[in-house]
Amino acid sequence: MYQYDELDQAVVDQRVAEFRDQTRRHLAGELSEEEFRPLRLRNGLYIQRHAPMLRIAIPYGLLSSAQLHTLAHVARRYDRGFGHFTTRQNLQLNWPHLEDVPEILAELATAQMHAIQTSGNCIRNVTADHLAGVAQDEVDDPRPYCEIIRQWSSVLPEFTYLPRKFKIAVTGSPADRAASEVHDVGLHMVRDAQGEIGFTVLVGGGLGRMPIIGQVIRQFLPVADLLSYLESILRVYNRQGRRDNIHKARIKVLVKALGIDRFRELVEAEWNENRAHAVRLPAAEVDRVRAFFRPRPYEILADIATPAGDDPRFQAWRRYNTHAHKVSGYRAVFVSLKAHGSIPGDMTSDQMDAVAELAGRFSFGLVRVTHTQNLVLADVRQRDLKELWGELDRLNLAMPNIGTLTDMIACPGLDFCSLANAGTLDVAKQIQQRFDDLDYLYDLGEIEIKISGCMNACGHHHVGHIGILGVDKHGEEWYQITLGGSATGFTALGEVIGPSVRKNEVASTIERIVEVYREVRADGERFVDTVHRLGIKPFKEQAYAPHPAAA
Amino acid sequence: MRHILRRRELTADAWHYLGEDALGSEAVIVPLAELRANPARFAARGGRLGVRLAPVDRVEDLAGDLPRLALVACEFPSPGEGRGYSQGRLLRERFRFTGELRAVGAGVKQDLVFHLARCGFDALELAPGEDSQAAITAWGRYDVAYQPGDARVKPRLQRFFAA
């Protein structure tokens, strides 16, 4: 993975010194809360329901074992011994003390980590496919380009005070495991007719109050033009994006208002005008960064089939929690943070330390965070799988449910977040309890449930095969259900099935919905494909069927 | 007496904004809208002329006037208002403006000094109550930068450069 040079280290060190001074001035009464707020947000610090929340950047979801140990350490020393991995591949600490945050950031800086721009109206942590570099279907590894964007966008003077936040995702694979089409900018790696690598650029996607799928602004952007083109998009947005209404300030609103064709004209005109002054991305710099992401020193191994008589629990785990690798003899292993009875995405410091060690033993000392709130050890020899499974099982990190209905995404919801309208964690627990039978889960196959506690949609509910949105009705928590959303493979926004349901009825409603699927599905058809084939009507009819007891 | 922070030195402001007993002054700063509404009023007068841009103003509209302007002031009415950074870069880079580029408004605070300087602002009219000594120190808060920017603040290390 990328290693900081003197410049990278100086940027994070000087940022820590700056924030230490800002925090000191705030605590001394020299900076009011109103003045401090935009500064602390740009360093990842929110003031939440119970305490400050610190969002630590994990650029494109990649961590070394040493970095995961550092996260375990700060969660233990400055928080309550656990952290929460988010849909943007970051880690959130829910209980740090404000006065400790400069010291936390200083500790992170010693491990080449930071919390720069994980919040605020600026360019956020760039995200990528969690199988980057090992997926069989990949055009090219997106991570060098993510790192280049990370550097260019960090402490970026012109665009630190944008109309609203700005999220970029890069995918190297047509399967798009990074939800790139619901980002402010999505970059798809492609090859042109000459075989040159470049990007298809999408703009104006997003979730939140106005869910919308990004549109193509440029079919093919050469690598050398990556930063200058992003600069042009951002300059048009910075100058013309709305600043009068926070709910209309994202770039998607500007793109929609102008139309993609007019927006494209503006960006291309700006880009052409700017050629003489645009930021350059020399091939030598691309090569320098790419060198950090060369394939690991893999052994030459053959694929190994698991003996038919092997432990059925291991076989289930191997089937659901490991993924094909482009190198024979290896698999990518999912570390499930979705054990039934646990909070999706939560991990204790002890678990982090243990996984960091396992990564050192089994996967070249590297760990990835997925936007679905699990971890991945991407380069595990197949002959080591059983041993690794045993270790993960002891840590309660081997729940064989990846890709199934209980591999849910959930934002922290009302329990932690001051924006939330409703709880998400106890809804997740309710679903885990109702769907605790693995054979039933396996029969249902691939189903993505995504839960958000408010319309800001941190839980990506719009693109869940089943989306659950918490709403407040006269002080009570209710839940609106959508069907047919998707962000992986193809992008679609879910359709609301009807009135929201009470909290204690969420899991039973979902059960009635998936029972319809079991009756009407074609052979081998996934839930989301059945919904798209039949529409939501048959599901909607059964979802609200009266309880037998009430009839 | 108003003071302006110019390249790390606090100096008395020789300029007047229109309305501050200004037409008789040697150096006057006029809002773009006023310049457009009464061009003759400013064409005939001697002395130095400056223009004040609101965040919503387009620097392209000022391009033809730049040769006769000694100063452009961009407004930062709040810390969250970021359009002035683009105005600054465009004036310096695309329109080659070499006169004084001034940041003015309640958003001109020590924590933004580095950003402003890298976008080409060489004169800061600090927000009321802002500690000028701290703002001078803030000018050197970063001595490294990833991005290209105005050479008046030259980083010790820089990753990306302009064409």
Side-chain angles (χ1 to χ4, degrees), chain A residues 8 14 18 25 35 158, chain B residues 86 109 111 142-143 146:
Chain A
D8 300 301
Q14 292 176 16
E18 178 184 49
R25 283 187 278 140
E35 292 171 305
E158 187 179 352
Chain B
S86 289
K109 298 191 177 241
D111 294 296
Y142 289 92
D143 70 353
Y146 284 117

Side-chain angles (χ1 to χ4, degrees), chain A residues 274-294:
Chain A
N274 204 43
R275 284 206 181 263
H277 311 283
V279 53
R280 286 186 300 121
L281 177 54
E285 176 59 15
V286 176
D287 290 343
R288 182 185 77 89
V289 178
R290 280 176 62 100
F292 289 103
F293 296 92
R294 276 195 284 259

Side-chain angles (χ1 to χ4, degrees), chain A residues 130-138 177 298 303 318-334 376-380 382 385:
Chain A
H130 48 262
L131 296 177
V134 305
Q136 290 173 321
D137 58 359
E138 189 166 84
R177 286 169 290 260
Y298 298 112
D303 283 330
R318 192 188 194 281
R319 177 172 171 196
Y320 287 92
N321 289 24
T322 75
H323 191 278
H325 196 291
K326 68 180 182 186
V327 176
S328 67
Y330 286 83
R331 298 285 286 180
V333 169
F334 285 79
V376 168
L377 303 179
D379 301 289
V380 180
Q382 291 171 9
L385 284 175

Side-chain angles (χ1 to χ4, degrees), chain A residues 102-344:
Chain A
E103 205 47 43
I104 298 174
L105 297 178
E107 293 220 28
L108 293 173
T110 65
Q112 306 192 351
M113 281 192 288
H114 60 76
I116 297 171
Q117 293 166 211
T118 54
S119 178
N121 297 333
C122 50
I123 303 174
R124 301 289 191 87
N125 183 36
V126 55
T127 53
D129 182 354
H130 48 262
L131 296 177
V134 305
Q136 290 173 321
D137 58 359
E138 189 166 84
V139 174
D140 195 17
D141 188 338
R143 294 171 301 172
Y145 308 97
C146 292
E147 176 58 29
I148 287 165
I149 294 169
R150 182 194 76 80
Q151 295 185 19
W152 168 74
S153 63
S154 292
V155 199
L156 174 53
E158 187 179 352
F159 305 128
T160 295
Y161 290 91
L162 294 168
R164 199 77 180 85
K165 58 189 169 184
F166 200 92
K167 300 175 179 178
I168 301 173
V170 190
T171 175
S173 146
D176 189 5
R177 286 169 290 260
S180 69
E181 296 188 7
V182 289
H183 280 71
D184 296 286
V185 162
L187 297 167
H188 294 183
M189 302 209 66
V190 288
R191 282 184 193 278
D192 69 3
Q194 285 73 47
E196 286 297 311
I197 292 284
F199 304 92
T200 296
V201 184
L202 285 82
V203 68
L207 298 173
R209 283 162 199 260
M210 191 183 111
I212 189 164
I213 296 171
Q215 300 180 77
V216 174
I217 183 168
R218 195 173 176 85
Q219 276 300 341
F220 187 83
L221 181 72
V223 166
D225 296 320
L226 174 62
L227 298 183
S228 67
Y229 201 78
L230 287 175
E231 184 173 54
S232 294
I233 290 174
L234 277 148
R235 182 170 283 167
V236 170
Y237 171 54
N238 190 43
R239 298 180 74 195
Q240 300 200 24
R242 288 182 61 173
R243 291 172 185 264
D244 60 326
N245 180 339
I246 189 177
H247 301 306
K248 295 189 172 168
R250 294 286 289 269
I251 196 174
K252 62 191 174 186
V253 178
L254 179 65
V255 173
K256 196 176 171 204
L258 293 171
I260 184 66
D261 293 328
R262 177 68 187 138
F263 184 77
R264 180 186 299 112
E265 276 174 30
L266 291 174
V267 169
E268 298 269 332
E270 167 59 35
W271 195 45
N272 285 321
E273 280 282 330
N274 204 43
R275 284 206 181 263
H277 311 283
V279 53
R280 286 186 300 121
L281 177 54
E285 176 59 15
V286 176
D287 290 343
R288 182 185 77 89
V289 178
R290 280 176 62 100
F292 289 103
F293 296 92
R294 276 195 284 259
R296 303 292 89 201
Y298 298 112
E299 293 171 39
I300 297 170
L301 299 168
D303 283 330
I304 310 169
T306 306
D310 214 332
D311 186 331
R313 290 180 63 231
F314 169 63
Q315 290 196 41
W317 176 83
R318 192 188 194 281
R319 177 172 171 196
Y320 287 92
N321 289 24
T322 75
H323 191 278
H325 196 291
K326 68 180 182 186
V327 176
S328 67
Y330 286 83
R331 298 285 286 180
V333 169
F334 285 79
V335 176
S336 175
L337 303 184
K338 308 294 175 63
H340 293 183
S342 71
I343 290 173

Side-chain angles (χ1 to χ4, degrees), chain B residues 97-111:
Chain B
F97 179 65
T98 54
E100 176 173 324
L101 188 56
R102 176 183 292 193
V104 54
V108 184
K109 298 191 177 241
Q110 59 160 304
D111 294 296

